[in-house]
């Protein structure tokens, strides 16, 4: 009886996790939630975008759904990513050598730019 | 990429260019749109200094308090030196204008450091325009709380002093992807109303962080809707535009309008297009203070002209 209860609890947790992923889209899994991000880090592919000389490198990145993208600021000046469109969201301020990670689940094109230096534009295409 | 180092081997042409760029001591007198230049020594010796009725104010810019990278690891000290230089001017300025990037990361402790240093100033008032580094993460709410008392919208305002009309604008908020600095419709409407009842003979001084003229759009050194703002100023006989952002002295005269950008008190930036990016320029330590500085502006009432003097911290 005890064993069965544990199994049920496990299923409930899995169901809640599934709901989180499907209902909140890509937007819910930023660096703020370490528990979820750690799980994602183990199970998902990761791509790195460097920020160098006031530009995103690569500025045009195509990824599979479920990929985690990590930005690393190598400039001596801070940058702040703003994603435009329906699901607008922002990164924290990224000072020198600081990083920001984001998982992308829903297919589509995600345009973003630096709100301090708006000439810095780029996009992520999720297949 | 972070470090764009100027080597010591500068030829004569390069040296002269560098000195002009550093604003090492030329006074510009703009009268009816025609610039005249004078040696700094004459100003320092009182040769063309202010008389009793003249107005002097100082401009400081881009103090970036909180920055601690290679280009300058003690921006607090270089900001202090700028304030000490203002205190030591032969005639005390009426006030100080700070054209933004007061802080580097908009942190409360950075704003606090600025306030602590400015407590030592001998000049009573400081008028601010925010830079993009002062509105990080909160769209300028903290800046408004600290420096925006009595201002309009996101922090724009105007005031009169000694027959001049001063206007502080905000062009670092609501920036668009791929765009430049932005004033926005509300601010432009306010500006139009603010100028409406002024006689055309009133000298106007406008200050904002990002240049209100296209210095180098590829690096974002310009303001998308500045032409609209400048169109309201065409009927005025004397218009002076003071900006920061590009960490170097550049001047341009266009009709009745004199544009001027100031040095930073924190670190220099490359000349437009002369580096892979506009990031901080690392120069040999002994040259740094020559590339940092402040600006004093002297309005000579009878001749209706503004003399702009840039001086380095060294």
């Amino acid at each position: 009886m005890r064993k069965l209860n544990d199994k049920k609890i496990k299923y409930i947790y899995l169901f809640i996790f599934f709901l989180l992923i499907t209902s909140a889209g890509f937007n819910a899994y930023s660096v703020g939630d370490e528990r979820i991000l750690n799980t994602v880090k183990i199970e998902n592919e990761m791509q790195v975008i460097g920020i160098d000389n006031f530009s995103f490198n690569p500025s045009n990145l195509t990824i599979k759904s479920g990929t985690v993208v990590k930005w690393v600021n190598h400039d001596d000046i801070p940058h702040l990513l703003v994603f435009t469109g329906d699901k607008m969201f922002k990164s924290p301020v990224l000072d020198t050598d600081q990083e920001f990670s984001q998982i992308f689940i829903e297919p589509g094109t995600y345009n973003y730019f630096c709100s301090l230096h708006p000439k810095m534009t780029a996009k992520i295409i999720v297949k | 990429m972070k470090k764009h180092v100027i080597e010591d081997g500068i030829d004569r042409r390069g040296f002269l260019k560098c000195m002009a760029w550093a604003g090492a001591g030329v006074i510009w007198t703009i009268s009816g749109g025609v610039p005249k230049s004078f040696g700094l020594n004459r100003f320092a010796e009182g040769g063309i200094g202010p008389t009793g009725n003249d107005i002097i104010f100082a401009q400081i810019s881009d103090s970036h308090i909180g920055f601690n990278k290679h280009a300058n690891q003690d921006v607090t000290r270089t900001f202090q030196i700028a304030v000490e230089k203002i205190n030591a001017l032969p005639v005390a300025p009426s006030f100080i204008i700070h054209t933004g990037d007061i802080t580097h990361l908009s942190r409360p402790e950075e704003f606090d450091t600025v306030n602590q240093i400015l407590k030592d100033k001998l000049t009573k008032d400081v008028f601010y325009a925010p830079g993009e580094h002062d509105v990080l993460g909160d769209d300028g709410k903290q800046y408004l709380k600290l420096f925006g008392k009595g201002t309009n919208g996101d922090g724009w305002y105007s005031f009169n002093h000694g027959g001049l009309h001063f206007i502080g604008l905000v062009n670092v908020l609501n920036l668009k992807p791929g765009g430049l600095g932005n004033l926005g419709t509300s601010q432009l409407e306010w500006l139009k109303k603010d100028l409406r009842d002024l006689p055309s003979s009133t000298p106007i001084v406008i200050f904002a962080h990002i240049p209100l003229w296209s210095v180098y759009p590829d690096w974002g050194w310009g303001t998308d809707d500045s032409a609209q703002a400048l169109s309201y100023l065409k009927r005025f006989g004397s218009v002076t535009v003071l900006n920061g952002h590009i960490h170097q002295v550049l001047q341009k005269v266009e009709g009745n309008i004199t544009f001027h950008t100031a040095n930073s008190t924190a670190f220099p930036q490359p000349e437009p297009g002369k580096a892979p990016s506009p990031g901080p320029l690392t120069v040999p330590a002994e040259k740094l203070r020559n590339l940092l500085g402040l600006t004093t502006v002297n309005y000579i009432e009878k001749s209706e002209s503004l003399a702009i003097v840039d001086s380095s911290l060294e």
Side-chain angles (χ1 to χ4, degrees), chain B residues 41-53:
Chain B
N41 289 342
R42 280 191 64 197
F43 180 78
E45 290 162 5
I48 55 166
T51 64
N53 293 328

Side-chain angles (χ1 to χ4, degrees), chain B residues 127 143-159 168 190 194:
Chain B
F127 296 97
Y143 168 84
L144 265 185
K145 195 175 166 192
L146 291 169
F147 301 117
K149 197 178 171 187
T151 63
N152 310 281
D154 292 325
W156 53 82
Y157 57 99
S158 66
F159 62 94
W190 171 86
D194 184 69

Side-chain angles (χ1 to χ4, degrees), chain A residues 25-111:
Chain A
F26 72 95
N27 204 358
Y29 313 102
S30 62
V31 283
D33 192 337
E34 288 300 329
R35 182 180 58 81
I36 293 174
L37 191 69
N38 287 340
T39 310
V40 162
K41 270 180 184 167
I42 294 161
E43 295 175 356
N44 291 269
E45 194 179 316
M46 179 176 271
Q47 294 277 348
V48 178
I49 295 178
I51 305 175
D52 298 276
N53 282 321
F54 289 58
S55 56
F56 299 105
N57 186 25
S59 60
N60 192 343
L61 177 68
T62 302
I63 54 171
K64 287 190 298 189
S65 171
T67 303
V68 174
V69 179
K70 181 168 84 175
W71 287 264
V72 186
N73 181 16
H74 300 129
D75 278 343
D76 272 357
I77 286 291
H79 297 290
L80 198 160
L81 280 57
V82 175
F83 283 78
T84 54
D86 295 343
K87 288 169 181 166
M88 183 185 158
F89 73 100
K90 294 178 180 180
S91 74
V93 176
L94 301 178
D95 200 5
T96 306
D97 296 330
Q98 288 186 333
E99 304 172 359
F100 169 66
S101 295
Q102 182 73 48
I103 185 169
F104 291 85
I105 291 171
E106 289 182 25
T109 300
Y110 299 91
N111 293 299

Side-chain angles (χ1 to χ4, degrees), chain B residues 76-90:
Chain B
T76 301
R77 181 62 195 135
T78 47
F79 183 55
Q80 266 174 338
I81 292 169
V83 174
E84 285 165 11
K85 283 203 73 161
I86 292 169
N87 287 342
L89 285 170

Side-chain angles (χ1 to χ4, degrees), chain A residues 51-54 74-78 80 84 90 93-98 112-113 115-121, chain B residues 1-2 4 67 69 104-105 132-133 136-137 139 175-180 217-218 220 267 276-280:
Chain A
I51 305 175
D52 298 276
N53 282 321
F54 289 58
H74 300 129
D75 278 343
D76 272 357
I77 286 291
L80 198 160
T84 54
K90 294 178 180 180
V93 176
L94 301 178
D95 200 5
T96 306
D97 296 330
Q98 288 186 333
Y112 65 99
F113 73 111
S115 69
L116 279 89
H117 313 101
K119 285 283 174 188
M120 295 171 61
T121 57
Chain B
M1 58 63 35
K2 295 174 205 167
H4 315 299
F67 178 87
K69 305 301 184 302
H104 192 58
L105 294 170
E132 72 278 8
H133 286 256
L136 279 177
D139 292 330
L175 305 185
K176 310 289 184 298
L180 305 171
D218 285 354
F267 54 85
S277 78

Side-chain angles (χ1 to χ4, degrees), chain B residues 21 38 40 52 118 123 127 134 138 190 210 217 220 227 248 310 313:
Chain B
W21 172 62
F38 300 88
L40 177 62
L118 284 171
T123 301
F127 296 97
D134 303 317
D138 69 347
W190 171 86
I210 298 175
Q248 60 197 282
D310 294 292
L313 296 187

